[in-house]
Amino acid sequence: MNKVFLDAATNASAGGLGIWSTIIMIAVFAVAMYFLVIRPQKKQEKEQAEMRNSLSVGDEVTTIGGIIGRVVSVKDDTFVLETSKERCKIRMLVSAIKSIDVRAAEATGVSKDKEETDNK
């Protein structure tokens, strides 16, 4: 009877070790998912938000729908895009911008540093 009791105690302690190793593996998996998926996605979203907040008149942009044009005016969450030589204007949401291809300052050849010193 003592042998049966000792075997049961040994199995119980070994089972406890298995539970802890499973918990540790789940924690390692969660940390890996954070660094491989969640963190890069948050960083990309932050970069997109900064790009959209820096939108200014004269920038040439591409929208998520593939429309390419020049920004004519910018309001809170919308902007007006001029798309062709016929000066077709489309009002769109700022969140529809995929990328800013050419900045207005780059197109005119004036750097932002020079603009800031001229304004002071």
Side-chain angles (χ1 to χ4, degrees):
M1 184 140 169
N2 273 343
K3 183 162 176 81
V4 174
F5 180 71
L6 290 174
D7 289 339
T10 306
N11 289 338
S13 66
L17 182 62
I19 290 172
W20 283 108
S21 66
T22 304
I23 291 172
I24 290 171
M25 289 301 291
I26 290 172
V28 167
F29 181 72
V31 169
M33 287 298 291
Y34 173 77
F35 282 106
L36 294 175
V37 177
I38 298 170
R39 189 170 178 230
Q41 183 178 3
K42 296 269 186 194
K43 185 178 179 182
Q44 185 180 22
E45 289 173 0
K46 184 178 177 182
E47 290 172 355
Q48 289 286 330
E50 288 175 2
M51 182 258 314
R52 290 178 178 141
N53 290 336
S54 69
L55 183 67
S56 63
V57 175
D59 291 348
E60 290 184 22
V61 299
T62 302
T63 66
I64 56 176
I67 300 172
I68 300 171
R70 188 175 55 89
V71 177
V72 177
S73 71
V74 180
K75 292 193 178 173
D76 295 330
D77 59 346
T78 62
F79 68 100
V80 177
L81 185 69
E82 188 177 78
T83 60
S84 65
K85 293 178 184 178
E86 291 83 26
R87 299 189 183 263
C88 295
K89 294 181 181 177
I90 303 171
R91 184 173 168 219
M92 303 184 88
L93 293 173
V94 173
S95 60
I97 296 175
K98 179 180 177 185
S99 64
I100 298 177
D101 302 327
V102 178
R103 296 273 181 192
E106 293 173 5
T108 60
V110 178
S111 68
K112 282 196 167 202
D113 295 333
K114 186 172 180 178
E115 282 183 11
E116 290 175 4
T117 56
D118 290 344
N119 290 337
K120 290 180 183 180

